[in-house]
Amino acid sequence: MADTGDTAGAKKNGDSTFTVLVAAFANLGIAVAKAVAGVISGSSAMLSEAAHSVADTVTEVLLLTSLKRSVRPADEDHPLGHGPERYIWALLAAVATFVGGAVFSLYDGIHTLTHGEDLGDPLVSYIVLAVAFVLEGYSLRTGLRQVRGEAAHHRVSFGRYLRRTPDTAVKAVVMEDSAALAGLLLAAGGLLGGQLTGSGVWDAVASLCIGALLLYVAWVLGRSNAEFLVGRPLSRTVRDRIRAELVAVEHIEAVLELTTLVQGPREALVAAKVDFRDVSTAAQIEWACERAEQRLREEFPIVRRVYLDPTPGFAQRRSEGLNPWP
């Protein structure tokens, strides 16, 4: 059973890597094209979009780093593995989106509003925007396909899975590609408004809107990764099912305290203070712990580590004059 879970985990990690790679190559090519088009057309919105794509490319590199480093096996210095490291790199990716994309876009928009700009030929920009839209759309399609598959596997809605998924790399790709498509439409609107009116205000407003959009994406991704770094438990529904599985094991009377911790997209820890039957022998308690761990691993493939602490129940603690709350 453990081998099956490891194989499935490796396959899903491979899916995440492919999704991020597609996004990285798409953004790298788009960034260069947008920068050239921005210089030719003199459009601040196009330059903002170029900064957006550069930030996205840096983000994908950081996400690839997170995927590679987080799958390293546990060792003596890291007994619980390296799973949480992925959230550190993913948090840095959110910072890259903020600094590399949002700040530049807002600055460029404000600079254009206060100093104006000379509008050049927008034809090249329109062509680049159209090609970028196709490439970003393909990248987004790859990410959405993985999210839909994961949501169906876990039997939850697409929106709920995207909000709660511990696979923040895929979440970052989906959100950034969605923001990229919206940014392309804003840039096109800014170009068209400037072309029709001869005013650079439209282009500046488009740049400011792109910056605000990137601020939102950076904030959502930063908050998601921070939650996992601080420590997020499994959902209440899963925790209730874990309690039920433990109590169903022979010789276990009650679960006094349950702690769960998500350590990665497919890795979680379960620790519990368990009240065993007073008449159970040491051997029976040991085998009960083994059966409990086996049941949890079979029912919840995400659970990789189980620690059970035999603890006197409330009644027994009172009879011994101890604090009833362990």
Side-chain angles (χ1 to χ4, degrees):
M1 185 61 66
D3 292 340
T4 302
D6 291 343
T7 302
K11 179 182 181 302
K12 292 175 181 177
N13 195 70
D15 292 341
S16 298
T17 301
F18 176 74
T19 298
V20 175
L21 277 173
V22 169
F25 283 114
N27 284 316
L28 182 60
I30 291 170
V32 175
K34 286 177 179 177
V36 173
V39 172
I40 293 175
S41 66
S43 168
S44 64
M46 280 303 298
L47 291 175
S48 296
E49 273 298 297
H52 181 175
S53 293
V54 169
D56 284 353
T57 304
V58 173
T59 294
E60 313 311 339
V61 172
L62 291 171
L63 292 178
L64 286 171
T65 302
S66 77
L67 291 173
K68 182 178 180 180
R69 294 183 64 84
S70 64
V71 296
R72 291 178 297 166
D75 53 39
E76 185 176 351
D77 293 328
H78 304 87
L80 297 181
H82 296 78
E85 188 170 347
R86 103 167 24 215
Y87 300 121
I88 297 175
W89 291 96
L91 182 61
L92 292 176
V95 174
T97 299
F98 171 76
V99 175
V103 172
F104 180 86
S105 298
L106 293 172
Y107 166 79
D108 203 43
I110 294 172
H111 183 271
T112 301
L113 279 177
T114 56
H115 294 78
E117 67 179 4
D118 296 325
L119 297 177
D121 185 3
L123 178 59
V124 176
S125 295
Y126 284 128
I127 294 174
V128 170
L129 288 174
V131 174
F133 197 89
V134 173
L135 293 176
E136 293 284 9
Y138 176 76
S139 176
L140 178 60
R141 175 178 172 271
T142 303
L144 290 176
R145 183 166 54 188
Q146 182 178 348
V147 172
R148 289 195 186 99
E150 293 287 332
H153 175 74
H154 293 284
R155 299 178 182 177
V156 296
S157 66
F158 173 88
R160 177 174 174 78
Y161 179 81
L162 190 61
R163 288 193 304 271
R164 301 290 297 175
T165 177
D167 194 345
T168 54
V170 174
K171 181 175 183 175
V173 170
V174 170
M175 290 199 65
E176 288 171 356
D177 285 345
S178 299
L181 291 177
L184 292 172
L185 294 177
L186 289 170
L191 284 171
L192 182 60
Q195 188 179 7
L196 294 176
T197 64
S199 171
V201 172
W202 289 91
D203 205 41
V205 171
S207 185
L208 291 172
C209 289
I210 292 170
L213 182 63
L214 291 177
L215 274 179
Y216 173 74
V217 171
W219 176 73
V220 171
L221 294 178
R223 184 183 64 175
S224 296
N225 287 287
E227 285 181 356
F228 288 106
L229 286 173
V230 172
R232 201 178 83 179
L234 294 170
S235 68
R236 182 177 299 276
T237 301
V238 174
R239 296 201 301 271
D240 290 341
R241 290 172 59 193
I242 289 175
R243 287 180 180 274
E245 288 291 334
L246 290 175
V247 173
V249 175
E250 187 180 6
H251 299 293
I252 293 182
E253 291 287 324
V255 176
L256 306 177
E257 182 180 324
L258 177 66
T259 299
T260 64
L261 179 66
V262 175
Q263 296 182 292
R266 284 158 289 278
E267 187 175 355
L269 176 149
V270 173
K273 288 183 177 292
V274 178
D275 179 20
F276 290 90
R277 292 173 52 194
D278 295 339
V279 296
S280 298
T281 65
Q284 288 173 328
I285 291 176
E286 290 172 352
W287 280 110
C289 289
E290 287 295 315
R291 283 192 292 271
E293 180 174 356
Q294 182 179 7
R295 287 177 68 112
L296 292 183
R297 286 177 176 270
E298 290 177 352
E299 185 67 21
F300 310 98
I302 191 176
V303 174
R304 297 297 183 90
R305 298 176 181 85
V306 179
Y307 302 103
L308 301 180
D309 178 15
T311 305
F314 299 142
Q316 185 178 353
R317 295 180 72 88
R318 287 195 185 94
S319 66
E320 297 291 336
L322 299 175
N323 184 348
W325 298 101

